Amino acid sequence: MSDQRKSSFATVNPYTGETLAEFPALEGAQVDAALETAGHAFESWRARPVKERAAVVGRAAALMRERKEDLARTITTEMGKLIAEARGEVDLAASILEYYAEHGPAFTAPEPLDVRDGEAYLVNEPLGTLLGVMPWNFPLYQVVRFAGPNLVLGNTVLVKHAGICAQSALALESLFRDAGAPEGVYTNLFVSHEDIERIIDSPVVRGASLTGSERAGAQVAERAGRNMKPSLLELGGSDVFIVLDGENLERTIGAAVAGRMANTGQSCVASKRFIVLDEVYDDFVDGLRRAFEELRPGDPLDESTTLGPLSSEKAAAELADQIRETVEQGAELVTGGHRIDRPGAFVEPTILTGVKPGMRAYGEELFGPAAVVYRVADEDEAVALANDSRYGLGGSVFCADVDRGRRVAERVETGMVWVNHPTSTQPDLPFGGIKSSGYGRELSKLGMREFVNRKLVRVLPPDAELSGIAG
């Protein structure tokens, strides 16, 4: 076995470059043992009353709030998120667990169907053990939106977290164990990418969920499909931020900064393509430039820092290359565009204009503090440009006329559109996309409808007339 496999999970502080901890990947026999344990745990876990399962998830939420500061600092040191935003992620993750602890039991209740004779109803049964392949940019939130509903439903989960968030992964596993989840109900797996296909192939695993890149999503979906197992994918995004008028422009620009710069721009639903009507374009670009140039890089653990590092040196180099090549292809650099001359994985807040089809920034997702601004003549052109993307995750529309905003939002080809607010998330709203942004929905009631057997039970009296049978 290579040394690379033995130390494939490591925490490297992107602000200092210091390697804080390393963890070996599991051997093949250890992976098999984890699968077996999760499979056995499913049989007893599903047999527990749903309110008991929900109570465990509720206790996990309470522990998450108790451990808020430690969890937030772990997130920040592993992937560079500003400490205030890391605390916000802990709160959001806890609220998701609380939501399913409270509402999950009702979501699993049998659903009666209206039939002429006898009765019919749907039973919502868990499928079994699920694999979740999780990313680094929201180490808690993106895990619990997968784990929370499925644990309440009665599934058991195996979580393969991103390699750079190993300590967050261990903290989550400990949290669920301390909340009362039996061994095998929530299992962290330090496994290599090569092991994922073998795990999906296992008869123990009954479904797979991935949040991450298009390439990884395609691999997981293909493997799950070969095995006739359901999958859910939340992939990249290039969310639009459409500005239809100049009313309350200061608020709109503030929303643009928040939508683009939260998590240093490293979010699938970050606002990335700003489509602005001609009448307000110049003022919008100038205001956005001034706001970007006020951001100050620094230690993400320092409360005064307003621009954190990217998650890794590799991520910063990739974004800088995308910007540089787009400018070489003819785009205009309004501000930023370079690495910041200081230690850490920093890139200047960047605004690009004049971006055209064929340029890297037109078709690729810019995962970091870089915005592309387009000028359009009217809302029809805005919608056409918004839909000229292989992505379809989220988007937002800003205008004083709410009816106009709603009308435009309904024309945008994405899984989610917010009017007068950047794309966001909350436990009771469905989250997911279309096109190359994936499929399926998480959160809300729909979050308990992806990995469930919605089994029909039809009951007729013993003397009922026999009807034709079709298949």
Side-chain angles (χ1 to χ4, degrees), residues 148-442:
N150 282 300
L151 292 179
V152 174
L153 181 62
N155 293 317
T156 58
V157 298
L158 302 164
V159 178
K160 190 276 177 194
H161 217 314
I164 69 172
C165 292
Q167 294 186 83
S168 294
L170 291 173
L172 270 174
E173 185 180 46
S174 295
L175 186 145
F176 279 101
R177 182 177 61 244
D178 294 346
E183 184 181 8
V185 169
Y186 180 105
T187 305
N188 174 67
L189 292 180
F190 284 155
V191 295
S192 66
H193 292 290
E194 292 75 19
D195 284 318
I196 292 175
E197 291 186 350
R198 185 168 73 86
I199 293 170
I200 295 174
D201 289 344
S202 168
V204 171
V205 172
R206 302 298 299 274
S209 175
L210 178 140
T211 299
S213 69
E214 291 176 70
R215 179 181 178 184
Q219 292 171 340
V220 166
E222 179 183 7
R223 203 70 184 191
R226 286 187 190 182
N227 287 279
M228 301 298 177
K229 297 176 181 179
S231 60
L232 182 150
L233 303 180
E234 195 270 276
L235 309 178
S238 190
D239 281 18
V240 294
F241 185 109
I242 300 173
V243 181
L244 296 177
D245 60 40
E247 296 293 327
N248 206 357
L249 185 59
E250 184 176 349
R251 178 187 181 275
T252 299
I253 291 170
V257 175
R260 175 66 276 197
M261 290 300 177
N263 205 29
T264 319
Q266 299 168 114
S267 169
C268 295
V269 294
S271 303
K272 300 184 178 87
R273 296 182 296 143
F274 296 84
I275 301 174
V276 186
L277 260 60
D278 179 75
E279 64 199 55
V280 71
Y281 176 88
D282 290 334
D283 289 339
F284 178 86
V285 170
D286 185 59
L288 192 64
R289 176 192 59 77
R290 285 186 279 106
F292 275 20
E293 291 174 353
E294 289 175 357
L295 298 174
R296 293 291 174 260
D299 184 349
L301 287 171
D302 186 335
E303 303 281 357
S304 66
T305 298
T306 54
L307 180 72
L310 272 72
S311 64
S312 67
E313 202 45 44
K314 179 182 177 182
E318 170 65 17
L319 179 62
D321 284 346
Q322 287 176 296
I323 295 168
R324 175 182 53 78
E325 291 184 23
T326 300
V327 173
E328 290 173 353
Q329 291 167 334
E332 179 185 347
L333 188 63
V334 176
T335 188
H338 307 93
R339 295 294 302 273
I340 298 177
D341 186 16
R342 59 169 298 150
F346 288 92
V347 175
E348 293 176 329
T350 299
I351 298 175
L352 294 166
T353 59
V355 174
K356 295 179 172 56
M359 297 181 181
R360 286 197 67 181
Y362 189 89
E364 296 181 13
E365 180 180 22
L366 300 181
F367 216 63
V372 179
V373 188
Y374 298 92
R375 185 197 300 263
V376 294
D378 53 37
E379 67 181 56
D380 287 338
E381 186 179 354
V383 170
L385 181 56
N387 293 339
D388 187 24
S389 172
R390 71 176 188 272
Y391 296 109
L393 189 54
S396 53
V397 179
F398 283 75
C399 64
D401 184 343
V402 172
D403 288 337
R404 184 187 188 193
R406 183 184 296 109
R407 183 173 68 246
V408 171
E410 291 176 358
R411 297 174 63 193
V412 175
E413 297 171 354
T414 61
M416 308 170 284
V417 187
W418 291 56
V419 177
N420 291 323
H421 195 285
T423 312
S424 189
T425 184
Q426 57 191 65
D428 55 349
L429 295 179
F431 188 102
I434 60 172
K435 299 194 283 190
S436 291
S437 291
Y439 51 78
R441 293 295 181 269
E442 296 178 293

